[in-house]
Amino acid sequence: MKQIKLDLSKAFSKTSGFISPDVFDTYKLSTEEHNNSLHEKTGRGSDYVGWVNLPNEISDEFLTDVENTAKIIRDKNIDIYVVIGIGGSYLGAKAVIDALNNNFAHLKGDKPAILFAGQNISEDYLAELRDLLKTKEWATCVISKSGTTTEPALAFRVLKQDLEEKYGKTEAQLRICAVTDASKGALKTLANEESYKTFVIPDNVGGRYSVLTPVGLIPIAVAGFNIRALVKGAKDMVAATGAKVPFEKNIACQYAAARHALYTEGKKIEILVNFQPKLHYMSEWWKQLYGESEGKDSKGLFPASVDFSSDLHSMGQYIQEGERLMFETVVSVENPDREVIIPKDKANLDKLNFLSGKNVDYVNKMAELGTQIAHVDGDVPNIKIEIERLDEYNLGQLIYFFEKACGISGYLINVNPFDQPGVEAYKKNMFALLEKPGFENETKMLKGRIWKVPVVNV
Ligand code: PA5
């Protein structure tokens, strides 16, 4: 089992906008200090650094409880497990499950399919999900740390009724698992009243850092994956990026330093790149982690993502020749799980016989290398993260690596990486527009503003 590798060799260049090794080295002390304050709980938002040592604190008993719960759910022979949650209460599980699953798991009929709800407020999405569930055997897990988030609460209200109608109250209660705060929130109150199997999200772990708590582990275990290997990967990365591991060996400090150096030299966008469609949601998780952690006080890299080679035929043009605002961080998977050998074709009309006998991943790797050279030539610095394969152990490493580097990165730009005050603004307006009791003043002000917008006739 290999440790994931960080290659910064293409992030350095004499060309304007790339990092110079000298500048990079200036971050040695600060990243080490910030890493230390994460461990010592002396930095901003230190009430929420429970994730830093979490992998080492996960007990065997707890993992057994999660596994047993997953087994009880799987033994009900369900077709679909609906995971209800949004943001940090959804993306980590989705990222890991998609990265590990067969690309066509749902169509193959692998059971249970893990579907998500409460991650949007689309009426069509919910209606179509309900239609589907009518014809299937199903159970659900509702995840909300605060227990009060509107999107999952709405979805749960609807789906809970459907489940009770389908199976009766008592059986429905056995088919619902709640993951929430230890003591507060509406979901906790309901879970107690209805005697749902309940798991606790630790107080000191925020949503986007919670994938290695029951938030991620329950859905991942129900999907049939090895949560022990996932935790082991994370544990090994805790050791590899610990407070005593010097900058020269500490890939979390180095990644944080590199992206910060690029940011201060004018690169305002970091694009996370993959060449494996299974990693699409890993990028979505990463965007939430970095976007919510860094984007505040008018600071922070804008986290974007692309799926190559698909997006080389769309965003590739902009990255090659558009505004020079970005650098790329490529998650490169060394070994595919499967092999497809390119056959020889007698007619050779597509002129691809020169590739016959080679495997498809060889072509993918050459696309990756060719893209790296082209984009670096086009003034897009490149950071590469290499992982051996898409399995639980490597994903555990990757998740913790990104979390640790994110905490350090937030401290480098002097923000609190563990709050998200900005997400309250839309909620306040939405509640005011919905005329929620208690928001009367805001409703009046907002409606006054909206109704004054002039209508322009064309
Ligand atoms: O990272 C975060 O804290 C957020 O994205 C939350 O996870 C998200 O808003 C959902 O919150 P909750 O779990 O309280 O429903």
Side-chain angles (χ1 to χ4, degrees):
M1 288 188 290
K2 283 206 251 174
Q3 190 191 295
I4 64 176
K5 277 193 257 164
L6 180 71
D7 179 0
L8 296 173
S9 59
K10 307 291 181 300
F12 300 109
S13 158
K14 295 241 150 53
T15 330
S16 63
F18 282 39
I19 328 172
S20 77
D22 298 348
V23 171
F24 176 71
D25 284 346
T26 62
Y27 295 110
K28 173 182 156 54
L29 278 184
S30 50
T31 54
E32 284 178 350
E33 260 170 43
H34 294 319
N35 190 22
N36 196 48
S37 34
L38 286 172
H39 284 269
E40 296 298 321
K41 304 186 176 56
T42 52
R44 293 180 74 176
S46 61
D47 287 347
Y48 292 95
V49 293
W51 56 272
V52 172
N53 201 35
L54 176 83
N56 290 331
E57 291 160 0
I58 295 176
S59 69
D60 195 59
E61 269 161 283
F62 164 76
L63 289 175
T64 305
D65 190 14
V66 173
E67 286 165 342
N68 288 343
T69 304
K71 184 169 180 327
I72 292 168
I73 295 163
R74 286 173 70 85
D75 284 351
K76 286 188 182 291
N77 204 20
I78 50 173
D79 303 301
I80 294 173
Y81 195 54
V82 184
V83 177
I84 303 173
I86 194 166
S89 290
Y90 140 70
L91 283 164
K94 174 84 176 144
V96 173
I97 292 167
D98 276 17
L100 295 173
N101 245 343
N102 184 291
N103 279 298
F104 307 104
H106 295 182
L107 291 174
K108 274 173 68 226
D110 290 356
K111 289 205 308 189
I114 311 292
L115 300 186
F116 292 83
Q119 82 283 35
N120 58 52
I121 326 176
S122 161
E123 190 157 4
D124 287 349
Y125 184 96
L126 194 54
E128 287 164 17
L129 178 63
R130 293 175 84 194
D131 287 348
L132 176 70
L133 294 174
K134 273 188 196 131
T135 64
K136 304 283 180 189
E137 295 303 316
W138 64 285
T140 187
C141 180
V142 54
I143 307 176
S144 177
K145 183 164 190 226
S146 60
T148 56
T149 307
T150 307
E151 289 90 338
L154 256 180
F156 184 57
R157 173 184 277 237
V158 172
L159 295 177
K160 174 178 176 283
Q161 279 191 10
D162 289 353
L163 199 68
E164 287 173 356
E165 255 168 49
K166 186 171 176 123
Y167 295 105
K169 182 111 182 144
T170 313
E171 176 59 20
Q173 283 169 337
L174 296 172
R175 284 172 183 254
I176 295 172
C177 172
V179 182
T180 190
D181 187 83
S183 55
K184 37 180 209 298
L187 180 57
K188 178 64 190 167
T189 311
L190 182 70
N192 285 349
E193 278 170 14
E194 306 259 331
S195 309
Y196 299 149
K197 172 75 182 168
T198 304
F199 285 90
V200 169
I201 310 172
D203 263 354
N204 57 2
V205 180
R208 56 190 175 276
Y209 295 84
S210 69
V211 53
L212 299 167
T213 73
V215 170
L217 297 180
I218 291 282
I220 293 165
V222 173
F225 297 114
N226 182 346
I227 55 170
R228 285 175 194 267
L230 187 78
V231 170
K232 169 83 172 95
K235 237 176 166 170
D236 287 354
M237 192 49 64
V238 177
T241 61
K244 300 232 152 46
V245 181
F247 181 78
E248 293 72 17
K249 291 194 173 150
N250 195 322
I251 57 173
C253 285
Q254 289 176 17
Y255 173 52
R259 57 196 298 288
H260 184 69
L262 289 165
Y263 175 61
T264 52
E265 300 201 358
K267 300 293 184 189
K268 302 296 181 202
I269 299 170
E270 179 176 10
I271 307 177
L272 196 75
V273 177
N274 69 69
F275 283 79
Q276 298 291 341
K278 288 181 182 186
L279 285 175
H280 177 84
Y281 267 91
M282 191 52 77
S283 298
E284 296 301 312
W285 170 81
W286 172 89
K287 283 194 284 195
Q288 190 220 357
L289 180 65
Y290 281 80
E292 271 194 343
S293 298
E294 290 192 294
K296 48 198 75 158
D297 305 342
S298 306
K299 292 187 266 194
L301 274 159
F302 182 82
S305 66
V306 288
D307 300 326
F308 285 166
S309 69
S310 315
D311 289 338
L312 283 170
H313 297 259
S314 59
M315 295 304 288
Q317 171 60 37
Y318 191 103
I319 297 169
Q320 190 69 51
E321 295 183 346
E323 286 251 27
R324 303 298 70 198
L325 292 170
M326 74 281 284
F327 65 93
E328 289 180 317
T329 297
V330 179
V331 178
S332 176
V333 181
E334 240 174 273
N335 303 300
D337 283 338
R338 306 289 302 276
E339 190 176 62
V340 177
I341 302 290
I342 300 163
K344 204 172 173 76
D345 184 81
K346 219 166 163 201
N348 195 26
L349 290 176
D350 55 14
K351 304 267 185 295
L352 288 177
N353 270 353
F354 75 101
L355 290 173
S356 69
K358 302 229 167 10
N359 61 335
V360 170
D361 192 59
Y362 168 72
V363 182
N364 202 24
K365 290 291 186 303
M366 292 308 110
E368 188 179 319
L369 185 58
T371 305
Q372 186 193 53
I373 296 166
H375 289 182
V376 168
D377 284 350
D379 270 348
V380 179
N382 183 286
I383 294 175
K384 186 166 161 180
I385 297 162
E386 279 181 307
I387 74 171
E388 201 184 356
R389 54 173 31 85
L390 289 182
D391 62 12
E392 290 91 335
Y393 177 76
N394 280 286
L395 291 173
Q397 287 196 62
L398 188 66
I399 285 167
Y400 188 85
F401 161 76
F402 276 139
E403 287 180 351
K404 178 56 93 60
C406 187
I408 299 170
S409 293
Y411 285 166
L412 278 169
I413 56 169
N414 194 22
V415 298
N416 177 354
F418 310 115
D419 65 2
Q420 55 285 327
V423 298
E424 295 310 314
Y426 98 89
K427 289 185 193 167
K428 201 176 85 198
N429 289 347
M430 178 176 73
F431 292 145
L433 294 168
L434 290 168
E435 300 185 26
K436 184 174 176 173
F439 285 77
E440 290 75 10
N441 287 341
E442 287 88 345
T443 303
K444 227 191 256 163
M445 271 164 50
L446 217 52
K447 288 206 166 166
R449 262 174 67 185
I450 288 168
W451 292 337
K452 276 185 201 135
V453 174
V455 177
V456 180
N457 291 318
V458 264

